[in-house]
Amino acid sequence: MAYPKPTRRSWAEPFKIKVVEPLKTTSRQHRVKAIEEAGHNTFLLRSEDVYIDFLTDSGTNAMSDYQWAGMMLGDEAYAGSKNFYHLESNMRKYYGYKYLVPTHQGRGAEHIISQILIKPGDFIPGNMYFTTTREHQERAGGTFVDIIIDEAHDPDSTHPFKGNVDLQKLEGLIKKVGAKKIPYISVAATVNMAGGQPISMENMKAVRKLATKHGIRVILDATRAIENAYFIKLREKGCQKKSVAGILKELCSYTDAATMSGKKDLLVNIGGFLAINDEKIFDEARNMVVVFEGLHTYGGLAGRDMEAMARGMEEMVKEDYLRARIGQVEYLGQKLMDWEVPIVKPIGGHAVFLDARRILEHIPQDKFPAQTLAAEIYIDSGVRTMERGIVSAGRDPKTGEHRHPKLELVRVTIPRRVYTQAHMDVTAESVLEVHENRKRIKGLKMVYEPKYLRFFQARFDRI
Ligand code: F0G
């Protein structure tokens, strides 16, 4: 085989591999049995039966030697661990909020802030929902209202900031229900369910302005905010000369608090936090965390976990790292686009999202095309991906009906610093194979449906 001469110079990962974890290959027959036992749900597969694991980028990151060295400096005191103070000072340095409440992961922070701020009957506008975030908002008695721009629901729109808030939708809601019924605006940086799409600095500023006018708080989901900051640097006018670290801090400065899943941007395997500017809310959160997570200087984490997060912050802002991170996702996505496999455009920050609605256009949404596609890719190659469509969207708590999201996607999510370009090639080839044989694929029926966040544990049978 001849390789064409390059038209540009390549870049490579700014690290080399020191420890390796062997991967296991399996037979097709083995995988057919495994996915059947898992009820055609990739969440229920044993990791041992998976070859390349693109289920999620959450907690699946490879830590650096610097982070591992920090683990040995874990101060496992019940109270006042020095690692807490390191995390607090790095949070202030990179995110800029005043107060820190550590939590075991992102949803721990979402739980606390939702319980403190939301009253039954309230409305929480957000730039598209995230599963756990909305669940906690609804548990607190709130109703989530989607105020993302329409382009976010269109997989083919190439809008550079599909995570943007539609200011008219937001203003319309404020007019309709009144500012008093809106405890905060929930803004995510790189919107996961839209395909890893960023929000622009200009839009964030405008949201802040409107919120201030009506006396409403803005709370950021900062889970993948550094990846958002990198997109701003690449795409937004006037931002090319700014540092990504500076962009992140500016983005946060337009918000009042943040929930954080450290398992993404912070390059660790577990951890999260709530960051707050308002002293009163902080007091309440610090009190609540002792009931649900642990003392306010560990929040359900070991000292070593807090140290790894603190060090992860120092590494995430490095621009050669971000280039390789986002570049790897783009490499996989570009390959699939070149081969005419329908994916969400533009290519996202943490994942390539396959457009299952178009790939399996002969399967109606209530036969779970994305769930089906994820199972088929697993059977083909042992690559594990995730459904992000009607199953993830769940049921409307008021009507009990399925929600029918416009986006019916399979997420091919890339862990940070874990896989190589060759793994991307193998994955792209498997997706292509399934795509080429798509006509023979049939849908699924749901045979077990858990009450909360059903996508994690639901089971399906072939039709
Ligand atoms: N917010 C966003 C945008 C997320 O993507 C996640 C987790 C959370 C909050 C909750 O954080 O898992 O630490 O409790 N996303 C994972 C994923 C589960 O696969 O996308 P957590």
Side-chain angles (χ1 to χ4, degrees):
M1 190 179 107
Y3 291 102
K5 276 196 184 155
T7 51
R8 62 167 174 90
R9 294 293 293 266
S10 290
W11 51 267
E13 287 79 3
F15 52 81
K16 55 186 176 175
I17 296 164
K18 187 165 351 213
V19 177
V20 298
E21 179 182 336
L23 294 178
K24 198 175 112 184
T25 49
T26 50
S27 67
R28 188 181 175 93
Q29 198 187 359
H30 180 94
R31 294 192 295 272
V32 168
K33 192 160 164 269
I35 198 75
E36 256 158 37
E37 280 172 11
H40 300 269
N41 185 345
T42 52
F43 278 103
L44 300 178
L45 286 167
R46 288 171 186 246
S47 147
E48 261 191 341
D49 294 328
V50 172
Y51 171 41
I52 298 173
D53 205 347
F54 288 158
L55 183 72
T56 176
D57 62 330
S58 181
T60 52
N61 307 301
M63 292 205 293
S64 66
D65 50 1
Y66 176 62
Q67 286 174 297
W68 277 108
M71 297 284 274
M72 284 306 290
L73 301 176
D75 171 1
E76 306 306 343
Y78 189 89
S81 160
K82 72 176 180 207
N83 312 115
F84 165 79
Y85 293 105
H86 187 199
L87 181 64
E88 185 187 54
S89 88
N90 272 6
M91 185 283 289
R92 288 177 176 152
K93 178 170 170 197
Y94 293 106
Y95 293 87
Y97 300 99
K98 279 194 197 138
Y99 305 110
L100 175 80
V101 179
T103 57
H104 77 284
Q105 56 184 83
R107 67 199 73 178
E110 291 168 352
H111 171 222
I112 291 173
I113 200 71
S114 301
Q115 289 296 326
I116 293 174
L117 295 179
I118 301 171
K119 293 188 304 298
D122 281 351
F123 294 85
I124 302 91
N127 54 347
M128 207 175 264
Y129 82 103
F130 183 70
T131 54
T132 58
T133 320
R134 185 178 64 190
E135 175 69 27
H136 281 296
Q137 292 164 353
E138 288 174 347
R139 282 175 160 264
T143 300
F144 173 83
V145 183
D146 188 6
I147 50 150
I148 203 163
I149 56 171
D150 287 341
E151 285 88 340
H153 294 280
D154 172 8
D156 290 323
S157 159
T158 54
H159 191 297
F161 292 104
K162 278 166 105 172
N164 279 358
V165 167
D166 184 325
L167 297 162
Q168 274 177 351
K169 286 186 195 168
L170 176 57
E171 201 147 26
L173 180 75
I174 299 172
K175 273 212 186 96
K176 195 169 140 204
V177 304
K180 283 212 171 67
K181 285 234 173 269
I182 302 177
Y184 61 90
I185 303 163
S186 178
V187 180
T190 71
V191 179
N192 194 350
M193 302 302 278
Q197 306 293 334
I199 178 169
S200 72
M201 189 71 88
E202 192 193 2
N203 188 250
M204 185 65 109
K205 259 194 236 179
V207 169
R208 169 80 270 169
K209 208 170 147 202
L210 192 61
T212 305
K213 186 174 139 200
H214 293 279
I216 304 173
R217 293 181 198 89
V218 181
I219 299 197
L220 178 70
D221 182 339
T223 296
R224 297 182 185 83
I226 197 68
E227 293 173 359
N228 195 118
Y230 188 71
F231 280 125
I232 288 178
K233 176 161 173 141
L234 291 184
R235 296 179 187 169
E236 192 156 351
K237 234 176 90 196
C239 292
Q240 280 69 41
K241 291 223 167 70
K242 294 183 185 170
S243 71
V244 178
I247 293 173
L248 174 66
K249 211 162 169 181
E250 185 184 339
L251 209 58
C252 295
S253 75
Y254 300 125
T255 69
D256 301 290
T259 55
M260 179 74 191
S261 169
K263 301 171 74 174
K264 285 80 166 175
D265 274 356
L266 303 189
L267 297 159
V268 293
N269 306 120
I270 193 72
F273 61 77
L274 180 60
I276 308 168
N277 285 335
D278 183 305
E279 199 181 343
K280 264 201 166 129
I281 299 173
F282 167 63
D283 272 346
E284 221 172 307
R286 186 167 62 164
N287 191 203
M288 239 180 111
V289 80
V290 302
V291 181
F292 292 101
E293 306 274 321
L295 194 74
H296 58 276
T297 56
Y298 77 85
L301 296 167
R304 54 179 173 268
D305 298 326
M306 292 188 282
E307 187 60 29
M309 276 207 285
R311 292 180 180 219
M313 285 180 193
E314 295 163 25
E315 294 184 347
M316 74 175 179
V317 296
K318 301 231 157 73
E319 303 199 7
D320 56 352
Y321 153 70
L322 283 164
R323 182 184 184 186
R325 159 67 177 157
I326 305 285
Q328 191 176 43
V329 179
E330 189 186 289
Y331 175 83
L332 174 63
Q334 190 59 50
K335 211 160 205 186
L336 291 172
M337 280 205 303
D338 291 350
W339 295 344
E340 291 171 0
V341 177
I343 66 168
V344 173
K345 286 169 228 144
I347 297 161
H350 64 305
V352 174
F353 288 73
L354 311 175
D355 188 354
R357 188 188 282 278
R358 276 186 51 204
I359 295 173
L360 298 180
E361 60 191 355
H362 56 288
I363 301 181
Q365 197 170 25
D366 59 7
K367 294 198 173 125
F368 312 111
Q371 189 77 29
T372 307
L373 184 60
E376 290 293 326
I377 293 168
Y378 171 73
I379 291 171
D380 181 73
S381 57
V383 171
R384 171 154 70 171
T385 58
M386 180 194 291
E387 193 265 6
R388 291 276 87 152
I390 186 167
V391 185
S392 296
R395 289 178 188 272
D396 186 305
K398 290 204 182 92
T399 64
E401 298 293 319
H402 287 301
R403 290 165 160 136
H404 286 87
K406 287 211 182 94
L407 296 174
E408 178 71 23
L409 310 173
V410 167
R411 191 181 72 174
V412 188
T413 336
I414 314 300
R416 295 166 188 77
R417 305 193 294 206
V418 173
Y419 291 102
T420 67
Q421 190 157 317
H423 294 112
M424 302 302 135
D425 291 337
V426 166
T427 301
E429 288 161 21
S430 171
V431 171
L432 179 66
E433 175 88 20
V434 173
H435 182 244
E436 287 186 337
N437 293 304
R438 61 193 179 276
K439 292 271 159 51
R440 57 158 189 82
I441 299 173
K442 296 191 180 71
L444 295 168
K445 62 171 188 278
M446 205 188 301
V447 292
Y448 168 66
E449 181 178 357
K451 208 160 147 199
Y452 311 115
L453 301 173
R454 64 182 183 179
F455 56 94
F456 283 128
Q457 292 149 341
R459 299 184 70 85
F460 301 82
D461 267 351
R462 276 174 200 273
I463 290 177

